[in-house]
Amino acid sequence: MKRIFFCFLLLVGSHYQSFGQIQSQKENNWKNFTYDMGNVFGGIGYSYSRPFHWEGDDWANFGYLAAGTAALFLVDDELNNWTNGFSEDVPGFITDYGHQYGNPNNNYMLTGGVYLAGLFTKNEKLRRTGVLLISTATAGGFLQQVSKRIVGRARPRSGASSGTFDPLHLDRVFNYDSFPSGHAMLAFSNAYAIAKQFKSPWIKAGLYTVGFIPGFVRIMDDFHWVSDVAFSTVLSIFIVESIDRYLDSKYNEKYNAQAKKISWNLNFGPGTMGVSARF
């Protein structure tokens, strides 16, 4: 009888111990979740405030971005005519991927999945990557939504020229919300943020290529001009770099102090125009 009673006590004790561990785990997950969401909003605010703290190199990079966008703006119509010449040759699976991946709903499914995987597996690196993905997508997404209403640039498929604008629309006017490209910004910010977690230049290059597909497809299907996508792609890099450096002060995993900085440059010359990255 004593032996049976003793086994019963062990069973009850182990039950309450397991219950306590589950409760502790839930509390720890909630604590990490609230901390991470605070960093999401903190990162967004940090990225928006950076222009007030820019110095010489920062303003120079912004100048390169503005100059490159302006140069592409001057030849947008010609580039659009050129891309229309082979747009039907783009494989259907690439077109489908390009339209779907840059969609905000699908984007947040990916970023949220990465974050939750890190949260429940207690992997801080994965958690931080998820926070970076969510905050950069939110910062870039909100910025491009507001900007395209203010700018009111005509889409190529509207039939108007690249220099046609109808600004300051608070409601969405589909044919006049070309600049900047939300698909390009969301897709490339994801690719760039994930690529920061790898040292191999080949992996980085592969991720950049995949991240550029949505912007490329939006050009092919006359949703955006080349300058829209180029501006959005480079701006997404600025946003990711800014928020990632902010997160260095919030997590034990610090990537920017260890990683070799990537140098991005705008290249112009006779018959050439583009963006290059040096690893």
Side-chain angles (χ1 to χ4, degrees), residues 14-27:
S14 63
H15 170 74
Y16 278 103
Q17 183 179 10
S18 299
F19 178 77
Q21 290 175 346
I22 293 173
Q23 286 296 106
S24 177
Q25 183 176 356
K26 287 182 178 178
E27 291 175 0

Side-chain angles (χ1 to χ4, degrees), residues 24 58 69 102 142 156 190 194 230 251 268:
S24 177
D58 301 310
T69 303
F142 178 77
N190 282 350
I194 294 173
Y251 293 91
F268 300 96

